[in-house]
């Protein structure tokens, strides 16, 4: 069983064509179906240079790609709107937003995204937008970013702090009332990159009941990205577990959006990830939590809390 918190496949399909079964993408439906269950967040990624109506139009274009895939393979993969009823789904697709510039500065857009089935939204990519600042400049959230937090939470959208600057992360901690996630971020103690999380940030996500997805991008795994390999994944996993992350650690591969390590660079290779963890000293229980249960249970709890 696999639950991947982040891929950029929609952009790849938009730019290069093909579909989830016939393309050069790392994500492939035939391989997803080989797992007993496979859930994945499909991100609508928006580059920093797009703002306002351009960003909204970009979202709409990638959303159309997503819906076309769901229609094309309607008997094989299902968009998950409600995790309360997801227990019988074998292959699930969850829509997420990477870079909330797609809001174009309007709080009303959050409700629209929620109605379309968006379950996760990151504030920024690497640069600045209407909400705040990504990792390229260490400044906090803007007024609009702070206003977005309760509205997103009320609309059932989980906040994603991957890509945020440290100061913007601090602001999220001040204003968020519900658990938030880092969909594809590693441990800065192991690899000193600003896109990775400080120990105190990891502890804060854990304390609040959020989840953290291990990113397979070379430069976030090893200080010398050219030397990054599968054992760096273990090092980051072990460190986050040492901070109390047994029920928070997950995977967020960043497939189709980054130069990932050779050993795990596509869905077919992911099928061997469980055996790799177990062969290197992880219990079957912990391995299952990392690869599926923690992420799945997070969204199940979130849905249950919203219904109460």
């Amino acid at each position: 069983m696999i639950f991947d918190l982040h891929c950029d496949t929609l952009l790849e399909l938009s730019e290069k064509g093909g579909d989830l079964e016939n393309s050069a993408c790392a994500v492939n439906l035939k391989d997803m179906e080989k797992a007993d269950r496979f859930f994945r967040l499909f991100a609508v990624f928006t580059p920093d240079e797009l703002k306002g109506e351009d960003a909204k139009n970009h979202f709409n274009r990638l959303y159309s790609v997503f819906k076309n895939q769901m229609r094309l393979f309607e008997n094989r993969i299902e968009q998950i709107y409600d995790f309360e009823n997801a227990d019988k789904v074998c292959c699930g697709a969850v829509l997420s937003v990477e870079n909330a510039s797609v809001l174009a500065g309007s709080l009303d857009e959050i409700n629209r995204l929620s109605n379309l089935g968006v379950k996760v939204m990151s504030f920024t990519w690497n640069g600045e937008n209407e909400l705040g600042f990504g990792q390229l400049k260490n400044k906090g959230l803007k007024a609009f970013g702070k206003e977005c937090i309760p509205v997103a939470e009320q609309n059932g959208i989980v906040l994603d702090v991957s890509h945020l600057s440290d100061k913007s992360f601090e602001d999220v901690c001040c204003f968020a009332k519900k658990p938030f996630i880092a969909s594809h971020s590693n441990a800065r103690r192991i690899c000193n990159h600003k896109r990775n999380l400080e120990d105190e940030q990891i502890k804060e996500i854990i304390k609040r009941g959020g989840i953290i997805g291990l990113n397979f991008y070379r430069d976030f795994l090893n200080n010398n990205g050219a030397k990054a390999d599968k054992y760096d994944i273990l090092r980051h996993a072990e460190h986050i577990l040492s901070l109390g992350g047994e029920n928070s650690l997950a995977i967020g591969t960043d497939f189709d959006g980054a130069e990932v390590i050779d050993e795990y660079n596509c869905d077919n290779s992911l099928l061997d990830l469980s055996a790799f963890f177990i062969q290197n000293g992880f219990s079957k229980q912990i391995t299952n939590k990392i690869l599926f249960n923690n992420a799945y249970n997070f969204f199940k709890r979130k849905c249950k809390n919203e219904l109460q």
Side-chain angles (χ1 to χ4, degrees):
M1 297 191 297
I2 296 172
F3 198 130
D4 179 13
L5 291 172
H6 187 81
C7 75
D8 288 298
T9 308
L10 298 181
L11 183 64
E12 282 288 289
L13 292 176
S14 173
E15 293 183 344
K16 299 179 181 178
D19 56 50
L20 284 176
E21 189 171 75
N22 297 290
S23 74
C25 292
V27 168
N28 187 284
L29 182 56
K30 288 185 288 188
D31 292 325
M32 291 175 66
E33 291 174 319
K34 293 175 184 177
D36 293 334
R37 301 184 77 192
F38 202 130
F39 283 60
R40 165 171 274 130
L41 269 63
F42 285 86
V44 174
F45 163 71
T46 301
D48 284 332
E49 59 267 23
L50 295 182
K51 300 287 193 299
E53 288 300 314
D54 289 337
K56 285 177 62 176
N57 291 336
H58 177 82
F59 171 87
N60 292 336
R61 180 164 59 87
L62 266 63
Y63 175 73
S64 294
V65 171
F66 177 75
K67 294 305 290 184
N68 285 338
Q69 297 304 303
M70 295 302 104
R71 285 190 289 268
L72 182 62
F73 301 108
E74 61 181 348
N75 296 320
R76 298 168 61 187
I77 187 169
E78 178 178 339
Q79 182 180 1
I80 304 299
Y81 291 92
D82 180 0
F83 273 83
E84 184 189 20
N85 301 312
D87 286 346
K88 294 182 180 180
V89 175
C90 293
C91 199
V94 184
L95 192 62
S96 68
V97 162
E98 183 176 28
N99 190 354
S101 61
V102 300
L103 300 177
S106 171
L107 291 175
D108 292 338
E109 284 296 302
I110 295 176
N111 180 254
R112 182 176 82 96
L113 295 182
S114 178
N115 289 336
L116 295 176
V118 171
K119 294 299 179 187
V120 174
M121 180 179 72
S122 73
F123 291 79
T124 66
W125 193 46
N126 291 326
E128 175 185 359
N129 64 13
E130 296 92 340
L131 286 79
F133 295 84
Q135 54 98 9
L136 295 179
K137 185 178 292 185
N138 193 20
K139 298 178 69 174
L141 292 180
K142 298 178 181 179
F144 179 66
K146 296 172 183 177
E147 291 171 358
C148 284
I149 292 175
V151 179
E153 291 181 336
Q154 290 160 13
N155 278 274
I157 295 179
V158 175
L159 303 172
D160 182 0
V161 297
S162 284
H163 285 285
L164 273 184
S165 69
D166 291 345
K167 288 187 177 179
S168 287
F169 184 103
E170 292 173 8
D171 285 339
V172 173
C173 292
C174 289
F175 290 92
K177 302 299 182 184
K178 296 185 178 182
F180 52 82
I181 73 173
S183 64
H184 55 306
S185 296
N186 294 332
R188 202 177 299 179
R189 179 67 64 89
I190 303 300
C191 175
N192 188 26
H193 194 292
K194 288 186 290 185
R195 262 285 282 109
N196 287 335
L197 298 167
E198 294 276 17
D199 283 1
E200 291 305 312
Q201 294 173 329
I202 293 170
K203 292 177 183 177
E204 189 67 29
I205 294 171
I206 292 169
K207 183 178 73 173
R208 291 170 179 255
I211 48 176
I212 301 164
L214 292 167
N215 191 319
F216 292 9
Y217 178 38
R218 290 179 171 277
D219 288 352
F220 300 163
L221 284 170
N222 190 304
N223 289 321
N224 183 345
K227 294 185 177 181
D229 61 23
K230 60 185 179 180
Y231 294 100
D232 290 307
I233 295 175
L234 295 180
R235 293 170 62 225
H236 285 272
E238 289 167 346
H239 183 71
I240 294 172
L241 289 173
S242 76
L243 298 175
E246 178 178 341
N247 296 314
S248 295
L249 186 58
I251 62 169
T253 60
D254 216 350
F255 280 175
D256 293 316
E259 185 183 349
V260 297
I261 56 173
D262 293 337
E263 299 99 324
Y264 295 109
N265 61 4
C266 65
D267 280 347
N268 187 56
S269 62
L270 274 189
L271 300 173
D272 298 326
L273 190 56
S274 176
F276 173 65
F277 272 86
I278 292 171
Q279 289 164 3
N280 284 276
F282 287 66
S283 70
K284 185 175 181 180
Q285 180 184 20
I286 295 291
T287 298
N288 289 342
K289 284 184 175 185
I290 295 170
L291 297 190
F292 186 85
N293 292 339
N294 284 342
Y296 188 73
N297 290 338
F298 170 82
F299 286 102
K300 288 282 285 187
R301 289 195 307 270
K302 170 187 168 298
C303 181
K304 183 178 180 180
N305 290 338
E306 287 173 357
L307 292 173
Q308 292 175 347

